[in-house]
Amino acid sequence: MTGLAATALLVRPSYAAAPTAGPELRRPSAGPAAQNGRPAAVRALERAAHPLRTTEPGGGRTADLRTLAAMIGDAEVVGLGEATHGSHEFFAMKERLFRYLVEEKRFTTFALEMSWTAGLRIDEYLQGGPGSALQVAKEALAGSPWEREEFVSLLVWMRRHNDRNPKRRVHFMGNDIGAPRLGSAIFERVLSYVRANRPQDLTRLQELYAQLPPIDDAFAYLDKPLAERRRNAVTARQALDLVATGVKTSGGKTGSGKTVRQTGGSTGGEALEWAEQHARNIHQTFAFASLDLSDPQSVSEAERFRDEAMAANTLWWQRRTGDKMLLSAHNGHVGYLSTDPVMYPTTQGVHLRSALGNRYVAVGFTFNRGSFLTATTLGSPWEKVTVPAAAPDMHEHTLDRVHHRDYYVDLRTLPAAARNWLDTARPVYDAGSSFKNDPLPTLAIKTAYDILIHLHRVHAAVPV
């Protein structure tokens, strides 16, 4: 979670306990070594599992992904999770699968749980803009879980693909709220459209946006009086309403059937819709930041709002462009159930499934042991944490008894023994912007995802 979006996760009470960085953490407390039903569940998983040759992109050998692609079927949005925000194998596998989906199933957008504004900056580079993948990653992903060499690799491949395939370009989007400031690109995109097409509204729009303070430091902004932050949210909404006055929906196509991609500045309904979307994201940010940090219910409501906003932004992009999309986010956002249903009662995945039906597929990740990067305290740097092999009462312990080192399984078609086992809430490894180890959170995996990828071991991602 980047920028302002990370704030609620870092401050929420359920994540107050910080992990021990560096050396391997102690093994989580385990229940009985043997539990009724586990041997039958393992045998059922053995029959249903499909081995992964590797999580690394490149190499040209992709036969092991064909069955996974068949499981995805005709989905237009595929949510691909991550059990941690800082493991190499999760990030590498996302690039490997995205490459395959681009080449074999005509996917065209990689969406990430990061700010809308940062996504626009990355996409400008991918479409031929100046700079290098490393420079753009440092600029757009700074301070986030994805400021990692693995995402530089993804951007390098996407830019190379576009250079070689100008008629089959791929795009990058950020579907999250961000931390915009007046004068930044997202404000200018809105103002430039109104300046060129509705000059009579320009002065009023400038007045509204001038009332919004910069959010260079999300933590400092959340220290401002609640009443002030709520007034700012109302002002951002008024600006959105002003911009949206003339929107005409055209379904994402011109009369010739050609998909139109505009990011502001030219006339026509398409450009106006983009201007409205930029204004909507500004409002989403200030609305999210109007939460009352002293009230747990308010924090929960803000997280509900955020997942709803991420889903809405994804749906807007998909419907506007017609793209097939790989949506990358934490397991708890792409799935239908999180490990903290009180804080996340309705996930992004639930909204997407409700809107798209079977055209949305959620893919979760689990791992048995290994390392990842996580923040230990509010606003602290990302640090390495290592966890031991899963204890016998954990879902990952059962999953790791399958003879494949790494594999995937369609949870929708599991034999009854495996389905019943995985549909019971059990402890799991789950690390977002921080990590809770004692006790571990629980999850009913079968309910949470459509497809599961299980990895035997993960390693910490590599900082840029």
Side-chain angles (χ1 to χ4, degrees):
M1 297 74 177
T2 57
L4 192 62
T7 305
L9 292 182
L10 289 170
V11 302
R12 62 189 178 128
S14 62
Y15 276 74
T20 301
E24 188 172 277
L25 297 181
R26 65 176 178 80
R27 182 185 297 276
S29 58
Q35 298 183 38
N36 293 334
R38 179 186 290 145
V42 174
R43 290 193 298 269
L45 285 165
E46 289 273 8
R47 295 195 300 271
H50 298 270
L52 273 176
R53 181 181 65 82
T54 182
T55 57
E56 296 302 308
R61 296 167 57 194
T62 59
D64 59 318
L65 297 179
R66 291 173 187 165
T67 303
L68 180 57
M71 293 174 183
I72 289 170
D74 295 328
E76 296 175 1
V77 179
V78 175
L80 184 54
E82 52 202 42
T84 80
H85 271 329
S87 292
H88 167 80
E89 286 77 7
F90 298 149
F91 296 164
M93 185 64 191
K94 293 185 185 216
E95 180 182 342
R96 185 175 187 233
L97 182 57
F98 183 62
R99 288 194 193 190
Y100 185 85
L101 293 176
V102 169
E103 294 164 354
E104 300 296 331
K105 295 182 79 70
R106 295 302 193 225
F107 274 58
T108 41
T109 289
F110 188 98
L112 180 61
E113 177 197 349
M114 62 175 291
S115 78
W116 174 264
T117 307
L120 292 173
R121 172 66 185 94
I122 291 174
D123 197 57
E124 286 177 345
Y125 164 73
L126 296 179
Q127 306 315 313
S132 68
L134 179 61
Q135 291 171 338
V136 172
K138 285 184 174 181
E139 173 188 337
L141 303 175
S144 79
W146 306 288
E147 189 185 7
R148 308 287 175 245
E149 290 291 345
E150 291 83 358
F151 274 87
V152 175
S153 173
L154 172 66
L155 299 186
V156 167
W157 181 84
M158 293 177 73
R159 173 67 179 254
R160 184 182 300 125
H161 172 89
N162 285 349
D163 290 343
R164 295 174 177 175
N165 303 275
K167 295 183 179 180
R168 289 198 302 116
R169 291 182 172 275
V170 292
H171 291 265
F172 194 103
M173 78 159 291
N175 78 336
D176 207 344
I177 61 177
R181 59 171 301 174
L182 189 60
S184 67
I186 190 170
F187 282 94
E188 184 51 38
R189 289 173 191 268
V190 181
L191 290 165
S192 65
Y193 176 83
V194 173
R195 183 180 296 112
N197 298 282
R198 286 161 47 194
Q200 69 276 14
D201 293 330
L202 180 61
T203 298
R204 176 56 179 158
L205 185 62
Q206 289 174 324
E207 290 173 350
L208 290 170
Y209 279 158
Q211 297 175 43
L212 299 178
I215 308 182
D216 297 318
D217 185 333
F219 304 127
Y221 181 78
L222 289 170
D223 283 336
K224 291 181 177 294
L226 179 61
E228 178 183 343
R229 289 184 279 124
R230 287 179 172 171
R231 284 196 302 272
N232 292 337
V234 171
T235 299
R237 178 72 217 193
Q238 290 172 339
L240 168 60
D241 291 341
L242 178 63
V243 173
T245 299
V247 170
K248 297 178 181 180
T249 302
S250 61
K253 304 285 184 180
T254 65
S256 63
K258 180 181 178 182
T259 297
V260 177
R261 288 180 185 275
Q262 295 287 346
T263 53
S266 58
T267 61
E270 294 83 12
L272 202 155
E273 287 185 27
W274 281 95
E276 181 197 18
Q277 175 62 15
H278 299 323
R280 181 180 297 113
N281 189 256
I282 293 170
H283 169 254
Q284 288 169 345
T285 298
F286 282 94
F288 176 85
S290 65
L291 76 162
D292 181 358
L293 293 178
S294 65
D295 178 10
Q297 181 60 39
S298 175
V299 177
S300 178
E301 177 64 18
E303 291 294 0
R304 182 206 59 76
F305 174 86
R306 177 177 168 236
D307 269 62
E308 185 176 316
M310 289 193 292
N313 292 336
T314 301
L315 291 167
W316 183 91
W317 182 284
Q318 196 280 323
R319 290 166 176 166
R320 173 103 287 282
T321 65
D323 287 4
K324 287 187 173 183
M325 306 172 65
L326 180 69
L327 169 60
S328 171
H330 190 272
N331 279 347
H333 292 303
V334 303
Y336 310 121
L337 181 67
S338 81
T339 57
D340 190 347
V342 173
M343 191 61 62
Y344 295 92
T346 308
T347 66
Q348 175 183 206
V350 169
H351 291 296
L352 291 173
R353 188 55 178 267
S354 176
L356 296 173
N358 291 335
R359 292 178 294 140
Y360 177 74
V361 171
V363 184
F365 265 111
T366 55
F367 70 103
N368 177 60
R369 66 183 303 164
S371 302
F372 49 88
L373 300 175
T374 188
T376 57
T377 59
L378 183 64
S380 69
W382 294 79
E383 299 178 0
K384 180 179 176 180
V385 170
T386 301
V387 295
D393 66 340
M394 296 175 64
H395 269 309
E396 292 90 341
H397 184 272
T398 300
L399 291 165
D400 211 60
R401 291 180 64 183
V402 172
H403 71 275
H404 304 306
R405 178 179 175 86
D406 300 330
Y407 65 91
Y408 56 90
V409 62
D410 192 331
L411 299 172
R412 299 163 296 187
T413 59
L414 281 176
R419 182 171 63 250
N420 294 338
W421 184 267
L422 293 178
D423 211 19
T424 299
R426 305 180 195 279
V428 292
Y429 282 135
D430 181 69
S433 295
S434 57
F435 176 56
K436 183 178 180 181
N437 179 54
D438 190 15
L440 288 171
T442 62
L443 185 70
I445 287 176
K446 169 63 175 64
T447 302
Y449 319 114
D450 298 308
I451 300 168
L452 181 71
I453 301 175
H454 177 74
L455 305 181
H456 173 67
R457 186 164 193 161
V458 298
H459 302 80
V462 182
V464 171

